[in-house]
Amino acid sequence: MTGRRRVRACVHGVVQGVGFRPFVYTEAARLGLSGSVRNDSAGAVVEVEGGSTAVDAFLRLLRDRPPPLAVVESVEVEKIPLVGGTGFTIGDTTRSDGARTLISPDVAMCADCAAELRDPHDRRYRHAFVNCTNCGPRFTIIAALPYDRANTTMARFAMCGDCAREYTDPADRRFHAQPVCCPACGPTLRFRAADGHGATGEHALAAARRLLREGAILAVKGIGGYHLACDAADERAVARLRRRKRRGDKPFAVMVADLAGARRVADVADASAALLSSPARPIVLLPRSAGAPVAASVAPRNPDLGVLLAYTPLHTLLFGLDGDTPGPQVLVMTSGNLGGEPICFRDDDAAARLSGLADGWLLHDRAILVPCDDSVLRPGMPIRRSRGYAPLPIALPVAVAPTLAVGADLKNTMAVADGHYAWLSQHIGDMDDVATLSAFDSAQRHLQTLTGVAPELLVADAHPRYRSRAWAQRNATGRPVRTVQHHHAHLAAVMAEHGCDGSHEVLGFAFDGTGYGPDGAIWGGEVMLADYKGYRRVAQLRYVPLAGGDVSVLRPYRMALAHLWAAGIGWAPHLAPVRACPKDERRVLRHQLETGLGCAPTSSMGRLFDAVSALAGVRQVVDYEAQAAIELEGLARHRDCGDAHYRFAVDEQGFPALIDPTPVLVGIVDDVSAGVASGVIGARFHDAVATLILRLARQHPGHLVALTGGVFQNALLLHRTRTLLTDNGFDVITHQQVPANDGGIALGQLIVANAG
């Protein structure tokens, strides 16, 4: 046995349910190595024996060329005694105390399964549940580890002989694919109409397509919950869905069958095409194509469409294959719920909660264990991190104790962490609904079960009235609960994403709508020098009164009048927000501003965007968060500023420095009076904010600049700001893995709470 050696490699990462063991088996056989591979709760354990050159080549493959869905975080190799032999075996799953594996997210149908779905000669032709080790449900069907069929919602479906042979054949693409099934042994597809009419299998699909063609609304059971679908080209169908769902003007996402369909409705660059087609299959925000076959009411007054490709075999069949009478080729595909509620995922719950929304149901009997909404991204910018990404871990630059962070109250996600890894939950939603609190409980238990993290510490937002904070205090059971200032958490999140170890302060711009400040004010236009241990507020947007709280958030005309009042600018009758505010309300509002009655001071940049949108005549009342700013950006996106520019004043005499928007507001009022187009006003305002950031950055040279908070989801502002900063020699970090909005807060909370 001269020149031979045997090694044991412990592989950590996402290596279960992704074809890792058959990959090891195949490569070991190709290289003439003997040994074994098995899963355990720490990942995968591989033993190989053979010539040194072949062993080295095999170890390089493990690290550098794993299967497409595998994520190899580390490989620990040790030399062990030779045992001889020529065979290679695949062992059963075992448990390792104290260790943990990483679970794959739900993955879109792969190209091989898509080909089988369309092949009349394949036994899985038109099978609505085709999957393999490279695709299909994972996170939403796993009840416990190890990831074996008995621990998934597929346990009730006994495999037929053909599927069992594939499942046990290391050379087969479906080796140990836990959701494996075929038409003979898998879930059953059913259609149920509101009048009680039903159908199964192919008849169910035909009935669902017919219902969509007729302009009705279909509830579709997906991987992570129910969707509501209708013909996206049918104005009446879209209006009906919007009314039933209580959606207001908030945009709907649209689903198309393939990339060609995406290009018919949106401008799809190469990077966007790659994102649309990725295994995660997120909703991608793209510029709407001229003449797109999509009703204007799908995304009113919005230049972008949220587009996603069909990501399950059921979705593909819903559009129709060759020979089918097709359904609509662009579908509204929105979460199955009323506005503000969590997505429906249990059949009985969906039947009750969607009964007044849907005209028919396309169902199946594979249970969903946990809900998981679709993810939403702009190219290079996550907006909502959920299906396709959760629960993949995020590597932390510093080690932390076992911790649970409960996030914020809007766009809530929670996170657990231990050592150098953090696991963020799927999107849970806004914590103002009893059903959302219940979903939070379930998601928290599931995440802890899958990760094995037993939190010793809980961390929450510093806002004393956040429901998430109250949940942490109720469930602490003797464990300490630490609180973290909202904008410090935002900055810590983007720092952690980029591997900052906290040894140097960053210059952070945390711009959003609402965050609780330690002085009791509502922060949101903050400039901070920060590390993980603390922060210094070096500049802020000047406080203005927020009269009536949420009333002024929902009525941007009130914010415009408040900003004019604070700047000493009169409420001229020709200004749009003055006209929009009823005379009696205007009188009461002025009294509030003058006396402070019912007012809270705010430095929110998000509210300033609302005010400018109202002043420019774009939006006076909103139906959803950031609507005023989104519509202003849409009008400004391709407009030139011309020769005129707005500039903020900065009072640097005190600490923190005060950013005064008065000169900007004066310029906007002058432009409105002169009849300047709202898009030009919007372009000048975006330019003014970006120029302000550059000016403030120059006062703190040598610092890494971090941009965070929901305002930086504004693509025009982010692009303009980043370009100005980088062109002037600054290094800039922005969000790439978690959202800039409150969906990323939990990551920052984790690391700040452990830095003290």
Side-chain angles (χ1 to χ4, degrees):
M1 293 191 177
T2 304
R4 289 177 65 85
R5 62 189 175 111
R6 187 178 184 92
V7 299
R8 178 182 295 120
C10 296
V11 187
H12 303 283
V14 181
V15 292
Q16 294 189 19
V18 293
F20 192 79
R21 285 184 293 174
F23 158 78
V24 167
Y25 176 93
T26 302
E27 293 302 325
R30 184 177 64 82
L31 291 167
L33 300 172
S34 61
S36 65
V37 59
R38 59 180 170 83
N39 285 340
D40 72 2
S41 55
V45 178
V46 184
E47 292 188 11
V48 291
E49 181 175 329
S52 288
T53 301
V55 169
D56 289 340
F58 176 81
L59 294 174
R60 284 194 297 272
L61 287 170
L62 280 188
R63 294 186 176 97
D64 302 334
R65 291 175 54 193
L69 298 182
V71 179
V72 174
E73 297 288 348
S74 64
V75 182
E76 300 171 4
V77 179
E78 62 174 321
K79 186 177 180 180
I80 58 176
L82 297 170
V83 298
T86 57
F88 196 93
T89 61
I90 296 179
D92 294 330
T93 302
T94 61
R95 300 290 299 182
S96 295
D97 293 339
R100 64 174 58 92
T101 190
L102 307 182
I103 295 301
S104 168
D106 300 314
V107 181
M109 181 173 60
C110 69
D112 289 332
C113 285
E116 292 175 346
L117 184 74
R118 297 174 181 275
D119 182 0
H121 303 293
D122 193 279
R123 72 187 191 90
R124 290 188 174 87
Y125 176 53
R126 303 181 68 91
H127 178 45
F129 307 96
V130 59
N131 68 85
C132 70
T133 53
N134 296 322
C135 68
R138 301 286 194 280
F139 174 61
T140 53
I141 65 168
I142 302 170
L145 293 179
Y147 177 46
D148 289 332
R149 192 177 180 102
N151 291 328
T152 74
T153 61
M154 286 296 295
R156 62 181 291 256
F157 299 99
M159 284 182 279
C160 66
D162 289 335
C163 286
R165 280 190 292 275
E166 293 169 335
Y167 182 84
T168 55
D169 181 359
D172 195 278
R173 195 173 91 249
R174 293 188 167 88
F175 176 75
H176 276 235
Q178 305 306 340
V180 66
C181 62
C182 72
C185 63
T188 300
L189 196 61
R190 293 183 293 116
F191 172 82
R192 188 179 74 244
D195 62 6
H197 168 76
T200 59
E202 289 293 338
H203 297 295
L205 286 163
R209 287 193 292 267
R210 182 170 59 252
L211 183 141
L212 291 169
R213 285 195 303 273
E214 293 170 352
I217 296 166
L218 178 71
V220 184
K221 186 177 180 181
I223 284 183
Y226 279 78
H227 286 101
L228 293 169
C230 73
D231 183 352
D234 186 333
E235 285 281 5
R236 288 181 297 179
V238 176
R240 188 179 304 116
L241 175 57
R242 190 173 289 284
R243 183 175 62 254
R244 291 181 185 178
K245 192 173 159 66
R246 303 174 195 168
R247 182 79 170 184
D249 283 343
K250 190 174 183 180
F252 286 126
V254 298
M255 177 179 279
V256 292
D258 50 30
L259 268 179
R263 292 190 170 103
R264 284 192 291 271
V265 301
D267 297 333
V268 183
D270 289 346
S272 300
L275 196 55
L276 283 166
S277 305
S278 68
R281 289 289 203 284
I283 297 169
V284 183
L285 301 182
L286 301 170
R288 185 198 301 244
S289 295
V294 174
S297 58
V298 167
R301 294 170 297 281
N302 193 314
D304 294 333
L305 281 176
V307 182
L308 76 162
L309 304 190
Y311 58 86
T312 71
L314 178 56
H315 292 142
T316 298
L317 292 166
L318 188 58
F319 283 104
L321 302 185
D322 292 343
D324 288 331
T325 301
Q329 293 308 291
V330 185
L331 294 174
V332 166
M333 193 66 73
T334 187
S335 56
N337 54 12
L338 284 174
E341 293 183 354
I343 190 171
C344 294
F345 69 101
R346 295 190 181 95
D347 296 341
D348 55 352
D349 184 45
R353 287 170 54 198
L354 303 183
S355 60
L357 282 71
D359 301 306
W361 284 260
L362 187 59
L363 311 164
H364 58 77
D365 53 350
R366 182 179 66 202
I368 300 169
L369 188 66
V370 291
C372 195
D373 282 276
D374 295 319
S375 294
V376 183
L377 292 87
R378 285 191 188 276
M381 183 197 306
I383 305 295
R384 184 168 75 194
R385 184 183 187 271
S386 200
R387 180 191 51 77
Y389 299 95
L392 287 175
I394 293 174
L396 299 178
V398 294
V400 301
T403 305
L404 166 65
V406 298
D409 270 19
L410 295 179
K411 300 178 177 64
N412 180 271
T413 63
M414 73 186 70
V416 295
D418 188 8
H420 283 277
Y421 289 108
W423 292 265
L424 270 69
S425 74
Q426 69 275 32
H427 169 80
I428 296 169
D430 296 348
M431 302 283 282
D432 57 358
D433 186 275
V434 173
T436 307
L437 290 170
S438 176
F440 184 96
D441 284 333
S442 298
Q444 177 262 331
R445 291 192 296 269
H446 188 241
L447 190 62
Q448 287 187 207
T449 296
L450 294 190
T451 61
V453 175
E456 300 168 359
L457 167 68
L458 279 70
V459 53
D461 192 278
H463 197 302
R465 292 190 297 276
Y466 265 11
R467 292 174 178 84
S468 51
R469 176 174 173 175
W471 185 96
Q473 291 167 334
R474 285 196 309 272
N475 291 274
T477 58
R479 296 169 292 182
V481 178
R482 295 178 187 165
T483 60
V484 176
Q485 199 278 327
H486 189 87
H487 300 94
H488 190 199
H490 270 309
L491 286 170
V494 70
M495 291 167 65
E497 279 190 57
H498 288 270
C500 300
D501 64 6
S503 60
H504 297 89
E505 288 183 322
V506 303
L507 179 65
F509 293 83
F511 290 174
D512 63 3
T514 301
Y516 182 79
D519 58 356
I522 299 170
W523 288 15
E526 314 310 315
V527 187
M528 299 172 165
L529 286 172
D531 54 23
Y532 295 131
K533 292 183 178 180
Y535 65 90
R536 291 176 289 149
R537 192 188 194 196
V538 296
Q540 64 160 97
L541 194 63
R542 185 197 63 195
Y543 285 137
V544 298
L546 178 70
D550 286 347
V551 174
S552 288
V553 175
L554 296 173
R555 303 177 192 173
Y557 65 75
R558 293 173 63 93
M559 282 313 308
L561 297 181
H563 268 284
L564 292 176
W565 178 85
I569 302 171
W571 292 356
H574 71 281
L575 295 175
V578 178
R579 296 197 309 270
C581 186
K583 185 176 180 180
D584 288 346
E585 183 181 350
R586 203 158 62 234
R587 177 179 51 80
V588 172
L589 176 60
R590 185 181 292 277
H591 178 71
Q592 286 185 280
L593 297 174
E594 290 175 346
T595 63
L597 180 66
C599 293
T602 182
S603 58
S604 168
M605 183 63 77
R607 299 288 79 80
L608 179 59
F609 267 84
D610 288 349
V612 172
S613 181
L615 282 168
V618 176
R619 172 57 58 179
Q620 306 303 325
V621 177
V622 299
D623 285 323
Y624 62 92
E625 185 187 18
Q627 181 180 7
I630 287 169
E631 293 185 9
L632 180 69
E633 185 230 347
L635 292 169
R637 190 175 291 178
H638 301 296
R639 301 301 292 266
D640 190 88
C641 291
D643 296 329
H645 297 276
Y646 308 145
R647 291 293 179 263
F648 288 85
V650 180
D651 181 357
E652 300 174 27
Q653 299 305 307
F655 189 87
L658 291 180
I659 303 163
D660 184 359
T662 297
V664 173
L665 297 168
V666 169
I668 291 171
V669 169
D670 287 346
D671 279 352
V672 168
S673 301
V676 175
S678 56
V680 174
I681 292 172
R684 291 173 179 173
F685 177 66
H686 283 77
D687 182 72
V689 176
T691 303
L692 167 70
I693 292 169
L694 176 61
R695 174 181 174 180
L696 294 170
R698 283 174 167 160
Q699 295 173 4
H700 301 277
H703 285 86
L704 180 67
V705 177
L707 307 177
T708 187
V711 168
F712 285 108
Q713 292 177 159
N714 181 317
L716 175 61
L717 177 66
L718 182 62
H719 174 75
R720 177 65 174 146
T721 302
R722 192 161 46 194
T723 299
L724 271 180
L725 289 168
T726 55
D727 285 353
N728 283 274
F730 288 93
D731 292 326
V732 183
I733 56 174
T734 60
H735 288 275
Q736 304 294 316
Q737 297 185 68
V738 301
N741 61 43
D742 286 4
I745 282 281
L747 176 63
Q749 289 175 342
L750 287 170
I751 203 159
V752 170
N754 281 276

